Amino acid sequence: MGIKVCKFGGSSLADAAQIKKAQSIIQADADRKFVVPSAPGKRNKEDQKITDLLYLCHAHAQQGIAFDEVFGLIADRYNGIVKELGLTLDMTPHLDKVKADITAGASSDYAASRGEFLNGPIIAALLGYTFIDPAQFIFFDDKGKFDAEKTQTVLSKKLASVESAVVPGFFGSLPNGDIKTFSRGGSDITGAIVARAANADVYENWTDVSGLLKTDPRIVDNPETISTITYKELRELAYMGASVMHEEAIFPVRIAGIPINIRNTNAPDDDGTMIVSDDDTSSKAQSITGIAGRKDFTVIYVEKALMNSEIGFGRKLLEVLEDNQVSFEHMPSGIDTTSLVVSNSNLQGKLDDVLAGIKHVCKPDKISVFENMALIATVGRGMSHHVGVSAKLFTALSNANVNIRMIDQGSSEMNIIVGVEGSDFEKAIKAIYAEFVG
Ligand code: ASP
């Protein structure tokens, strides 16, 4: 017997029918002992998430506006779910308390956290599991930073003392007892924390897609699902815009060496994506794991004779960015040339000052700006120490008539990043996908 921690996202618990799917998933495997629910999410595109409605109640209360109508929507959702599930739970006292607390000026973190908090007893009653209030077992320090070690000590002891439990996601408490939430989507983080504390064999993250796709489905029709990806590869792809779960959720399970399995509540037979430790060697040579990219970068190209022997040149150049509070993404260099690749959002309104600073401090022979670059990362642990991956990549781009403006291969040899004109972005991703995946 092993231990599985299952986190269910808002769409997996949006109504009684979805909750019943989650229930049958949990009951199909006796290892699924710990369940981390989100708040009920959207039932359809036009619907509202309970968390958003709670934030709205809080905002109204702060402005002294009555929020009975909005709160009524929340109460109806929970009461409807309880009724349809055939439970005898009476939600009224819980709902009344939340409403009274918000009226009395409770914090927005408190208000938002109640979405998960109220869902907890419902799921616990349905499964016959113990309800655990995260306020007593998940801790933040007085600066509002998650206290991993204290939480691990206290929560692991608690989980070891129960047979099975429901731990609502998204929040914990500050040293003074006030409720504190993680950032939006933070139930993923709670799931990872519970997985670590339970010393789980796997952290199952149940959502509405069957795992992580090899590339963006808005660009390539029906891309394949990634069956296995390492934590490091996931970081690379996530940085480039691929997303399936909260980024911070990776850390608690990564240190504990617990794999994450992304699964689909609406297609429970699909294997989903396994996120595994970085030393996994199961990938075939030359195969790639995924392709992701982002548009809207600016390249500042700087040329100066004998740049390579001028001591302190790089420091001076980067200092200009620092002085302007601009971070850079890449810095590909030649002998007498170097380029700074900066995201447009970072550079907004600062380009002229940065250029003036570089001219003043570095005295370049030439400086030019290219404002419309897209970066595409082709990621795969299978490509390290194998000849030919970049040749294949560049040939594919050349056959598609895509001009490569920049190349950067991480020293881990796990990814190749190319910079292309913004207008070639989709074409380039399609070409790389067709070459490596088919
Ligand atoms: N309910 C919270 C949110 O909407 C947390 C979560 O669902 O993960 O952000």
Side-chain angles (χ1 to χ4, degrees):
M1 285 270 283
I3 295 179
K4 291 178 179 161
V5 168
C6 312
K7 180 258 168 178
F8 287 87
S11 62
S12 299
L13 306 172
D15 56 22
Q18 286 299 95
I19 294 176
K20 280 185 190 157
K21 288 186 195 168
Q23 179 188 15
S24 46
I25 289 166
I26 297 161
Q27 291 175 341
D29 184 343
D31 289 352
R32 296 188 172 124
K33 293 194 178 87
F34 299 109
V35 175
V36 176
S38 281
K42 292 185 183 192
R43 292 160 292 188
N44 52 58
K45 268 208 181 107
E46 290 73 42
D47 200 15
Q48 311 247 41
K49 292 177 81 167
I50 290 288
T51 312
D52 293 329
L53 294 176
L54 286 161
Y55 277 121
L56 195 62
C57 290
H58 176 262
H60 280 7
Q62 290 297 297
Q63 292 166 38
I65 305 172
F67 58 92
D68 305 69
E69 209 175 302
V70 185
F71 200 83
L73 296 174
I74 298 172
D76 287 351
R77 286 284 289 277
Y78 286 109
N79 287 328
I81 287 172
V82 167
K83 193 164 162 231
E84 263 191 73
L85 291 175
L87 297 170
T88 48
L89 262 184
D90 181 9
M91 295 302 286
T92 314
H94 304 291
L95 289 160
D96 286 351
K97 175 161 174 30
V98 172
K99 192 173 178 193
D101 288 343
I102 296 176
T103 309
S107 69
S108 87
D109 277 19
Y110 170 86
S113 74
R114 299 302 90 181
E116 273 72 8
F117 179 80
L118 293 168
N119 220 11
I122 299 176
I123 311 291
L126 186 68
L127 299 169
Y129 283 16
T130 304
F131 170 74
I132 292 180
D133 182 358
Q136 290 164 43
F137 299 96
I138 292 185
F139 304 106
F140 293 81
D141 66 20
D142 47 19
K143 292 194 179 65
K145 197 171 158 275
F146 170 57
D147 188 338
E149 290 327 305
K150 182 175 172 196
T151 300
Q152 170 66 11
T153 309
V154 179
L155 184 61
S156 58
K157 227 164 124 194
K158 176 68 182 174
L159 297 182
S161 74
V162 296
E163 179 63 28
S164 54
V166 171
V167 188
F170 193 36
F171 71 97
S173 62
L174 291 162
N176 67 4
D178 284 355
I179 296 295
K180 166 96 185 125
T181 61
F182 293 104
S183 54
R184 294 301 305 266
S187 296
D188 282 343
I189 306 175
T190 308
I193 292 165
V194 171
R196 181 182 174 209
N199 197 14
D201 298 280
V202 60
Y203 167 27
E204 291 182 339
N205 190 295
W206 290 86
T207 175
D208 53 6
V209 290
S210 292
L212 203 69
L213 299 173
K214 289 191 177 169
T215 196
D216 189 335
R218 289 166 302 187
I219 300 175
V220 171
D221 285 339
N222 279 322
E224 286 181 11
T225 301
I226 299 173
S227 60
T228 307
I229 182 169
T230 64
Y231 293 124
K232 258 193 203 154
E233 289 175 310
L234 182 67
R235 288 277 299 156
E236 302 272 355
L237 289 174
Y239 159 76
M240 278 299 194
S243 86
V244 68
M245 65 189 290
H246 198 300
E247 270 210 65
E248 287 166 50
I250 295 174
F251 297 105
V253 278
R254 187 175 181 172
I255 43 175
I258 299 168
I260 305 171
N261 190 191
I262 310 281
R263 301 284 295 264
N264 189 348
T265 304
N266 304 318
D269 293 334
D270 291 355
D271 293 332
T273 297
M274 265 309 212
I275 308 169
V276 299
S277 110
D278 295 322
D279 38 35
D280 178 90
T281 49
S282 63
S283 186
K284 284 190 262 73
Q286 294 214 2
S287 70
I288 60 151
T289 305
I291 309 155
R294 271 162 60 190
K295 283 180 168 175
D296 301 323
F297 290 92
T298 295
V299 186
I300 303 171
Y301 171 86
V302 182
E303 196 176 308
K304 187 177 187 186
L306 301 179
M307 174 193 289
N308 71 324
S309 56
E310 183 180 327
I311 292 187
F313 186 87
R315 178 185 50 75
K316 282 190 264 180
L317 187 62
L318 294 180
E319 232 165 44
V320 175
L321 292 187
E322 192 177 347
D323 290 347
N324 285 283
Q325 291 289 300
V326 171
S327 69
F328 73 102
E329 314 286 325
H330 299 275
M331 190 175 166
S333 303
I335 298 175
D336 288 334
T337 63
T338 193
S339 297
L340 296 168
V341 181
V342 184
S343 72
N344 290 359
S345 55
N346 238 305
L347 203 55
Q348 223 167 28
K350 297 175 178 169
L351 180 62
D352 291 341
D353 289 346
V354 169
L355 294 179
I358 295 174
K359 281 183 197 154
H360 178 68
V361 179
C362 303
K363 315 257 178 313
D365 299 333
K366 185 179 166 195
I367 182 163
S368 55
V369 176
F370 171 61
E371 285 187 275
N372 183 22
M373 191 158 85
L375 295 181
I376 298 167
T378 304
V379 175
R381 63 201 179 284
M383 63 170 80
S384 80
H385 308 299
H386 285 103
V387 181
V389 179
S390 38
K392 251 172 104 171
L393 178 75
F394 301 140
T395 309
L397 290 176
S398 135
N399 289 343
N401 215 5
V402 172
N403 181 29
I404 304 174
R405 312 254 340 194
M406 187 202 88
I407 299 169
D408 195 356
Q409 177 164 31
S411 48
S412 61
E413 270 193 67
M414 207 180 63
N415 66 347
I416 301 172
I417 294 173
V418 294
V420 302
E421 303 238 359
S423 55
D424 280 341
F425 180 69
E426 283 82 7
K427 188 160 77 169
I429 289 189
K430 280 191 178 122
I432 301 171
Y433 185 87
E435 180 63 41
F436 286 97
V437 187

